[in-house]
Amino acid sequence: NAGVTQTPKFQVLKTGQSMTLQCAQDMNHEYMSWYRQDPGMGLRLIHYSVGAGITDQGEVPNGYNVSRSTTEDFPLRLLSAAPSQTSVYFCASRKQGPRNSGNTIYFGEGSWLTVV
Amino acid sequence: GESVGLHLPTLSVQEGDNSIINCAYSNSASDYFIWYKQESGKGPQFIIDIRSNMDKRQGQRVTVLLNKTVKHLSLQIAATQPGDSAVYFCAENNAGNMLTFGGGTRLMVKP
């Protein structure tokens, strides 16, 4: 019963380094997304995908890239990490379907990223 | 721009009392809302949702009320328990079927 799996759980980067946060879901969900959560704040949408080969920008996309080559995977790439990207990152997935089906939105456990 | 936000950052209640967590939204076109619970170190967990054609929806120990006139949403938790201690977020399901979250309210339950 894996659900949404994120790796790594914790990561420390130096400014300017690049890295990829991995996200995988085994529920055959069409929709996947990445959020960041800063201390004491709600989640903000970075990028999302409505299906394999399709991605779009969310509220705070700058500094991040995504791709969706398969239904299962939705990696988030930081090309040149900055201290402002220190945050907790959550991946989420959802089945395609009616908007009144909130209980099908699944979140990963989060990835804690610190950029020094 | 349009936003979803919360009035109170922290709410402290006695175990057994009822809790009320509030949320204000500004997008009058919003038609679907969700409440999430987030425990420390974990991702958001779905609690309950409501569509704009409803004023009230009840779950197990939780009730969501929607007042479209003043664009206000509330989450009521009956007989609050220590396990209810967490941060609660309201969220709007936007046109892209993704979520826009409010700022969150921390609920602290005193034994």
Side-chain angles (χ1 to χ4, degrees):
Chain A
N1 190 21
V4 179
T5 303
Q6 290 182 231
T7 56
K9 183 78 169 181
F10 300 97
Q11 182 72 50
V12 179
L13 284 178
K14 293 182 179 179
T15 297
Q17 284 185 318
S18 63
M19 78 157 298
T20 300
L21 298 178
Q22 302 291 343
C23 177
Q25 52 89 11
D26 60 359
M27 298 170 283
N28 202 32
H29 286 174
E30 291 84 0
Y31 296 112
M32 296 186 74
S33 56
W34 276 102
Y35 293 84
R36 63 176 287 174
Q37 184 176 31
D38 298 318
M41 297 182 65
L43 282 72
R44 291 184 292 170
L45 181 64
I46 304 172
H47 285 285
Y48 66 96
S49 169
V50 299
I54 305 170
T55 64
D56 209 343
Q57 296 181 347
E59 180 184 359
V60 287
N62 294 339
Y64 307 95
N65 281 353
V66 292
S67 60
R68 187 88 181 274
S69 57
T70 66
T71 299
E72 294 77 19
D73 300 298
F74 191 45
L76 178 72
R77 282 183 287 275
L78 284 72
L79 301 178
S80 179
S84 62
Q85 293 179 303
T86 294
S87 190
V88 183
Y89 292 84
F90 289 98
C91 181
S93 74
R94 180 186 185 281
K95 290 177 61 177
Q96 186 177 18
R99 288 157 58 93
N100 61 342
S101 54
N103 59 353
T104 61
I105 300 172
Y106 295 88
F107 284 87
E109 290 293 294
S111 296
W112 272 252
L113 177 65
T114 300
V115 183
V116 298
Chain B
E2 303 290 2
S3 64
V4 179
L6 293 174
H7 295 300
L8 301 175
T10 304
L11 176 65
S12 184
V13 300
Q14 203 70 37
E15 181 179 358
D17 287 351
N18 296 334
S19 302
I20 300 176
I21 301 171
N22 297 303
C23 176
Y25 65 96
S26 56
N27 186 348
S28 57
S30 300
D31 62 356
Y32 176 56
F33 303 89
I34 309 168
W35 279 102
Y36 280 91
K37 173 185 180 183
Q38 187 176 25
E39 297 175 298
S40 180
K42 295 186 178 181
Q45 177 185 6
F46 172 87
I47 301 174
I48 193 169
D49 58 359
I50 189 168
R51 287 176 286 179
S52 61
N53 62 350
M54 304 171 68
D55 297 323
K56 179 180 180 180
R57 192 172 186 207
Q58 288 183 297
Q60 186 176 10
R61 282 203 306 119
V62 295
T63 302
V64 55
L65 299 178
L66 177 62
N67 186 329
K68 296 179 287 294
T69 302
V70 295
K71 290 182 281 189
H72 183 268
L73 193 68
S74 69
L75 176 70
Q76 300 179 358
I77 304 174
T80 312
Q81 302 169 1
D84 294 327
S85 293
V87 177
Y88 290 81
F89 295 95
C90 62
E92 168 195 9
N93 197 11
N94 64 27
N97 282 303
M98 294 301 150
L99 301 174
T100 299
F101 284 80
T105 293
R106 181 175 300 280
L107 177 65
M108 301 176 62
V109 182
K110 297 177 289 186

